[in-house]
């Protein structure tokens, strides 16, 4: 058996073994994407093709640690029911032997094409990075086409995560990079035929005005247009915490401006964090067939107590966020749950006003909507959200899951708090405040037997609670491809 087939076989056996276990696992998500075994990180190759949504992901199927990554693959027709498809990419060729790292998908010539980074450690343990291509006629089985882009001289081998798109009849690629003086950067490349790539240069970097000394590496860049503006989304590493900003180990956020494709220069504004929770990183967007810009993020942060998460004992770690629509409102990105998420609702368990306070019990897969000024919300005796109107400050607190010490993340709203939408899924919580102006994404390792919800409001607030579907992902790894 070839190495590729052998690795796939082992991964499918792990999925088969673990799928039964996670059905009983009180932390395993009910309606979020996670493989039943190993470690998931970045969303990759996020695209809709012929009506079907495809979300690939960084996957180490054999252990709850990083290593030689695979590209796992989920697909869906409706964004709520998903299937785990056969593995799209396995590491093992000379140019990706230590991992098929992050990248993106495009459609060209009636094929799905994946651009990804081949990660290699040479015999001295030194990193090498190759930007590679794999193609598929059916969106399920991929054939590797090898290295497309070599490392330009001006960067260190920290050069990865190609995101490709089309503009004005040409193809463009951004790559997360590090300049030789160890500063984060984004490289822009151009191609007319997706085969020959020309390096157009660095379009932004850690000292590109108005940024100063902004990190030693920028991962997972993504460039797209909304309302005539270009947005560069990226994940910088090496920022110091600054008040309520940059409190996670690594950040994710965006700059907005104008990209001059001819001059390969990007005139942009300041960096804004896109999420204010404890666990969020490496987001990627696509435009779907309805013309919506939809984002998926990884509900995790590299090196941030990853391996102290309680699910390690159960053989898996991390999950994706829900898909969210991006809108540009007053110069800021807002993230909104998609209307499709309403299809997750199975039963409305509360609908009416809350005066002063509410205390009750909810399921562990729930959506809660509150319209009005909430003062305090406590969930499962574990997470607390408070709002201070004088500062328009929203703060999420929890006991740290490793050492129990209280920790907090905050965000300042541009207007008084008027709405909250919460998605609760066993061990995760996504909070959308004021129609997605501020979003908090976090894991939540509350006691599974605790089902309490407590809400304190200013005056009267309209509240709705729905129980949501549980276990919406089918792990039907059909192993036919191995025969
Ligand atoms: C971001 C990242 C990417 C890399 C991938 C490897 O989390 O470090 O830069 O391609 O993960 O799994």
């Amino acid at each position: 058996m070839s190495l590729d087939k052998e690795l796939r076989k082992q991964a499918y056996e792990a999925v088969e073994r673990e799928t039964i276990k996670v059905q009983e696992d009180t932390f395993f998500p009910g309606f979020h994407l996670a493989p039943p075994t190993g470690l998931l990180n970045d969303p990759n190759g996020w695209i809709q093709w012929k009506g079907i949504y495809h979300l690939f992901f960084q996957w180490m199927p054999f252990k709850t640690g990083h290593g030689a990554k695979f590209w796992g693959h989920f697909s869906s027709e409706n964004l709520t029911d998903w299937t785990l498809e056969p593995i799209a990419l396995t590491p093992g060729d000379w140019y990706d032997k230590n991992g098929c790292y992050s990248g993106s998908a495009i459609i060209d010539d009636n094929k799905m094409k994946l651009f990804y980074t081949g990660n290699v450690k040479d015999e001295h343990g030194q990193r090498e990075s190759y930007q590679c291509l794999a193609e598929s006629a059916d969106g399920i089985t991929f054939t590797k086409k090898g290295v497309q882009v070599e490392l330009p001289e001006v960067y260190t081998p920290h050069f990865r995560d190609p995101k490709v798109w089309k503009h004005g009849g040409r193809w463009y690629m951004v790559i997360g990079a590090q300049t030789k003086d160890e500063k984060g950067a984004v490289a822009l490349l151009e191609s007319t035929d997706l085969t020959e790539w020309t390096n157009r240069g660095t379009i932004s970097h850690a000292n590109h005005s108005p940024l100063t000394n902004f990190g030693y590496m920028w991962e997972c860049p993504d460039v797209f247009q909304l309302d005539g503006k270009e947005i560069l989304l990226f994940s910088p590493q090496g920022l110091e915490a600054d008040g309520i900003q940059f409190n996670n180990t690594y950040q994710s956020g965006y700059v907005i401006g104008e990209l001059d494709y001819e001059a390969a220069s990007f005139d942009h504004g300041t960096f804004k964090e896109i999420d204010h929770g404890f666990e969020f990183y490496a987001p990627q967007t696509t435009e779907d067939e309805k013309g919506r810009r939809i984002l998926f993020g990884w509900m995790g942060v590299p090196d941030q107590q990853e391996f102290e998460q309680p699910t390690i004992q159960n053989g898996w770690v991390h999950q994706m966020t829900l898909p969210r629509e991006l809108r540009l409102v007053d110069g800021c990105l807002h993230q909104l749950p998609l209307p499709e998420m309403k299809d997750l609702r199975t039963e409305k368990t509360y609908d009416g006003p809350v005066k002063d306070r509410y205390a009750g019990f909810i399921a562990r897969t729930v959506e809660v909507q509150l319209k009005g000024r909430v003062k305090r919300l406590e969930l499962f005796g574990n997470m607390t959200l408070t709002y201070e109107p004088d500062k328009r400050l929203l703060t999420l607190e929890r006991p740290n899951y490793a050492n129990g010490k209280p920790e907090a993340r905050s965000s300042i709203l541009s207007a008084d708090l008027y709405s909250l939408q919460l998605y609760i899924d066993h061990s995760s919580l996504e909070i959308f405040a004021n129609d997605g102006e501020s979003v908090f994404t976090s894991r939540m390792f509350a006691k599974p037997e605790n089902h309490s919800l407590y809400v304190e409001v200013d005056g009267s607030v309209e509240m709705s609670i729905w129980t949501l579907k549980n276990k919406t992902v089918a792990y039907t790894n059909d192993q036919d491809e191995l025969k």
Side-chain angles (χ1 to χ4, degrees):
M1 202 182 253
S2 68
L3 174 64
D4 176 60
K5 276 199 176 171
E6 183 54 42
L7 287 172
R8 280 163 194 258
K9 186 167 166 280
Q10 286 172 21
Y12 296 150
E13 281 166 4
V15 167
E16 208 166 295
R17 246 188 351 260
E18 298 300 314
T19 300
I20 304 153
K21 267 173 52 189
V22 295
Q23 298 305 318
E24 306 295 316
D25 187 331
T26 48
F27 287 143
F28 198 75
F31 56 91
H32 283 82
L33 294 172
T37 174
L39 177 145
L40 163 147
N41 56 307
D42 314 353
N44 292 157
W46 169 220
I47 198 161
Q48 188 181 20
W49 189 33
K50 297 181 182 167
I52 310 283
Y53 291 92
H54 297 265
L55 183 75
F56 302 84
F57 59 98
Q58 287 286 285
W59 189 18
M60 165 41 71
F62 306 128
K63 57 173 189 183
T64 50
H66 293 277
K69 296 290 167 62
F70 291 56
W71 273 41
H73 181 189
F74 288 112
S75 75
S76 174
E77 281 176 29
N78 58 12
L79 292 165
T80 52
D81 300 296
W82 294 85
T83 302
L84 183 69
E85 298 287 358
I87 290 162
L89 300 174
T90 51
D93 288 283
W94 70 265
Y95 48 79
D96 63 15
K97 71 181 173 69
N98 299 106
C100 298
Y101 275 11
S102 286
S104 56
I106 50 144
I107 306 303
D108 171 60
D109 194 19
N110 210 26
K111 289 193 188 109
M112 191 190 291
K113 301 188 174 179
L114 307 181
F115 286 90
Y116 68 99
T117 300
N119 181 51
V120 173
K121 272 195 192 137
D122 73 10
E123 62 272 29
H124 311 291
Q126 295 297 311
R127 182 190 292 264
E128 293 171 10
S129 308
Y130 301 98
Q131 313 313 314
C132 311
L133 172 67
E135 291 184 357
S136 171
D138 61 2
I140 302 292
T141 309
F142 290 85
T143 310
K144 288 185 186 174
K145 298 285 171 186
V147 181
Q148 310 294 304
V149 177
E150 303 268 356
L151 175 67
E153 253 185 16
V154 291
Y155 305 116
T156 74
H158 283 286
F159 189 65
R160 55 181 173 270
D161 313 335
K163 178 83 180 359
V164 179
W165 75 103
K166 202 172 198 173
H167 174 84
R170 285 165 189 239
W171 293 99
Y172 291 89
M173 178 190 283
V174 276
I175 303 180
Q178 182 182 62
T179 49
K180 289 260 161 85
D181 58 351
E182 298 191 3
K183 302 283 179 223
V186 172
L188 179 72
L189 291 90
E190 187 184 282
S191 173
T192 49
D193 56 6
L194 285 178
T195 321
E196 289 293 313
W197 288 93
T198 314
N199 182 13
R200 299 293 317 276
T202 301
I203 54 163
S204 189
H205 55 84
N207 288 305
H208 183 289
S209 170
L211 308 177
T212 43
N213 208 12
F214 211 72
Y216 57 80
M217 172 62 193
W218 290 7
E219 296 189 311
C220 302
D222 186 352
V223 168
F224 56 91
Q225 230 186 28
L226 268 186
D227 298 343
K229 296 270 178 209
E230 270 89 23
I231 294 161
L232 166 64
L233 186 66
F234 62 105
S235 297
Q237 300 189 317
L239 306 186
E240 299 273 317
D242 176 12
I244 61 167
Q245 289 194 94
F246 313 152
N247 284 191
N248 289 337
T249 302
Y250 306 125
Q251 277 53 59
S252 289
Y254 61 94
V255 293
I256 304 180
E258 271 153 46
L259 176 61
D260 181 338
Y261 285 83
E262 282 311 305
S265 72
F266 192 19
D267 185 10
H268 62 68
T270 187
F271 177 87
K272 296 191 180 98
E273 269 186 282
I274 190 165
D275 195 280
H276 305 278
F278 295 94
E279 279 93 14
F280 184 91
Y281 196 68
Q284 188 177 88
T285 73
T286 193
E287 188 181 293
D288 79 347
E289 289 166 1
K290 293 194 173 100
R292 303 177 293 185
R293 181 57 56 177
I294 306 178
L295 170 147
F296 262 106
W298 170 31
M299 218 188 269
V301 179
D303 304 331
Q304 185 175 281
Q305 294 182 311
E306 279 182 90
F307 305 115
E308 291 170 68
Q309 290 201 9
T311 67
I312 295 279
Q313 289 157 22
N314 306 353
W316 64 278
V317 64
H318 303 309
Q319 64 177 58
M320 288 295 170
T321 67
L322 285 181
R324 304 155 178 188
E325 182 173 356
L326 294 183
R327 299 255 176 87
L328 196 56
V329 184
D330 299 331
C332 290
L333 279 183
H334 288 200
Q335 302 179 70
L336 295 153
L338 297 170
E340 283 91 333
M341 298 306 116
K342 292 195 177 102
D343 297 336
L344 291 169
R345 297 171 181 168
T346 55
E347 194 193 347
K348 200 167 196 175
T349 59
Y350 190 97
D351 192 12
V354 172
K355 292 205 177 69
D356 300 326
R357 60 182 54 85
Y358 166 91
F361 298 101
I362 55 173
R364 297 284 289 216
T365 49
V366 174
E367 178 189 343
V368 180
Q369 278 190 22
L370 291 144
K371 295 216 174 347
R373 197 154 91 176
V374 171
K375 286 202 308 210
R376 183 180 174 83
L377 185 148
E378 280 173 33
L379 188 60
F380 300 154
N382 182 267
M383 307 286 281
T384 309
L385 185 72
T386 44
Y387 178 61
E388 294 168 63
D390 49 331
K391 302 182 202 144
R392 296 195 310 273
L393 186 73
L394 209 48
T395 301
L396 182 66
E397 271 183 271
R398 71 177 182 189
N400 178 284
Y401 54 72
N403 57 31
K405 289 188 189 149
E407 54 182 358
R409 296 288 183 270
S410 296
S411 159
I412 295 171
L413 298 172
S414 67
D416 199 14
L417 178 65
Y418 64 82
S419 80
L420 284 174
Q421 192 171 4
L422 276 67
Y423 283 87
I424 297 152
D425 188 2
H426 296 280
S427 64
S428 73
L429 170 64
E430 281 157 284
I431 302 169
F432 299 84
N434 285 1
D435 293 320
E437 181 196 330
S438 262
V439 180
F440 291 72
T441 304
S442 289
R443 299 303 301 279
M444 170 180 62
F445 299 107
K447 287 201 172 71
E449 60 278 12
N450 193 317
H451 283 246
S452 64
L453 172 70
Y454 173 75
V455 185
E456 227 177 274
V457 303
D458 235 359
S460 177
V461 162
E462 283 301 311
M463 180 165 79
S464 307
I465 304 179
W466 293 267
T467 300
L468 303 184
K469 285 183 192 167
N470 199 1
K471 310 292 181 248
T472 56
V473 182
Y475 299 100
T476 54
N477 251 317
D478 119 30
Q479 298 193 24
D480 283 355
E481 58 157 343
L482 297 172
K483 290 185 186 130

